[in-house]
Amino acid sequence: MELRQLAVVVAVAEEGGFTAAAQRLRTVQSTVSTVVRALERDLGTPLFHRTTHRVVLTPAGEAFMPAARAALDAAARARAAVSPVGGRVRLGVCPGLLADWHRALAALRHVHPALAVEVLQVRAGAVGTVLRQSTVDVVLTVVASCGASAEYSAGLNGHAAADGGADLAAGSATKDLAPGSLPRPAPDDLVTTPLPRDELVLATAPGGSPSAPADLSELSLVDFPPGWALREAVDQAFPCRRRSLEVDDPAVAAGLVRAGLAACVLPASAAARFPDLTVRRFDRPPPWQLGALHRGDPSAAVAALLAQLG
């Protein structure tokens, strides 16, 4: 039994699926499935119940998780004892990313308990300014979103489409991405570290039709407030949609979707928090690439944070 196997199993349990776990671990789904099956063979028992829509722990898996997490925590503390990082790092977060960055901070605390982290909200248009003025050390933001006003056809075809897009936020690092490419370095002395890729999906009420309309202009959608990164991305991807409901809480948005009052465009990682909703993938997913922007030659504290974010 290896630590890597334990990390993969914990990721599947926490993310609720093999695809989401693969995105978190920056690998492919087949690798995650292979690692889990190999560990299950070694243990002589399945750790997960696999269904069409979700993956849940078996009783054996439930019993296995605390020990697996304890082993990973012990390994992290052992690494920190050899090369701990102290000091302070200031993390700026643009509103409306709906990303699980708190998990990175929790892991950072285990690995580097002497490193203090401050979190500040940063407007997308002020990213470059706050970094150059040293108000923050790192900013989480969208570094690629769709800049072209194109209609995106939604459907459950089971195939991921190539990403592409243009710069969304001022001070961002990406412009005119080729399909499948990653963001280029930001101008001047700002550098972009791409985060694991996510995908925008359409969440609808449980038990809905597996097909989605090619034109979302007639579909009632839940929107998030202006200034949120997700709102900006959806505005650009679907400029002709109807704005019928606006909320500032993903859980409230999920409740409206669950009640059949509207649909909602969400990052796949955020939609996975609500497994009872029907998730429909787009034939051409609107680009949604998050990144960490920082100054060149990061300090040890910034490097430690980037290692956990990635």
Side-chain angles (χ1 to χ4, degrees), residues 1-11 25 27-28 30-32 34-36 38-39 72:
M1 188 181 304
E2 301 175 356
L3 288 175
R4 177 172 175 269
Q5 291 177 309
L6 301 183
V8 170
V9 170
V10 169
L25 298 170
T27 187
V28 295
S30 59
T31 297
V32 172
T34 299
V35 170
V36 172
L39 182 56
L72 292 172

Side-chain angles (χ1 to χ4, degrees), residues 14-272:
E14 292 180 348
E15 299 296 336
F18 290 89
T19 300
Q23 292 174 342
R24 169 173 159 181
L25 298 170
R26 303 186 72 175
T27 187
V28 295
Q29 180 179 339
S30 59
T31 297
V32 172
S33 298
T34 299
V35 170
V36 172
R37 284 197 300 268
L39 182 56
E40 289 175 328
R41 284 196 299 269
D42 290 344
L43 295 173
T45 184
L47 298 175
F48 297 99
H49 288 302
R50 298 156 173 86
T51 68
T52 304
H53 299 292
R54 61 185 304 188
V55 174
V56 296
L57 288 166
T58 63
E62 293 282 1
F64 183 78
M65 281 302 108
R69 290 191 176 100
L72 292 172
D73 288 344
R77 289 193 296 271
R79 286 192 295 268
V82 176
S83 57
V85 175
R88 180 185 67 160
V89 61
R90 296 159 301 176
L91 173 65
V93 179
C94 291
L97 299 179
L98 303 189
D100 293 333
W101 47 266
H102 63 280
R103 291 179 176 172
L105 299 189
L108 184 68
R109 182 177 62 184
H110 280 291
V111 177
H112 303 288
L115 179 59
V117 180
E118 297 178 5
V119 179
L120 302 172
Q121 289 285 315
V122 174
R123 291 185 301 105
V127 170
T129 300
V130 296
L131 284 169
R132 293 187 179 95
Q133 292 180 348
S134 296
T135 305
V136 297
D137 302 304
V138 182
V139 176
L140 295 187
T141 186
V142 177
V143 296
S145 185
C146 52
S149 57
E151 294 295 333
Y152 287 86
S153 174
L156 291 175
N157 57 10
H159 300 286
D163 290 331
D167 180 44
L168 173 65
S172 175
T174 308
K175 185 174 289 185
D176 300 328
L177 290 177
S181 67
L182 290 176
R184 293 192 295 270
D188 301 328
D189 57 346
L190 300 186
V191 177
T192 298
T193 298
L195 302 187
R197 282 190 176 274
D198 209 340
E199 180 181 346
L200 294 185
V201 298
L202 183 67
T204 58
S209 167
S211 62
D215 181 4
L216 298 189
S217 62
E218 297 301 318
L219 192 65
S220 177
L221 292 179
V222 181
D223 261 316
F224 295 100
W228 278 35
L230 183 57
R231 170 65 178 269
E232 297 290 341
V234 176
D235 279 347
Q236 293 185 42
F238 308 106
C240 297
R241 74 190 190 286
R242 286 196 297 152
R243 299 178 180 89
S244 56
L245 298 165
E246 185 175 293
V247 301
D248 61 358
D249 186 335
V252 173
L256 293 170
V257 172
R258 190 176 295 112
L261 298 174
C264 188
V265 178
L266 292 168
S269 58

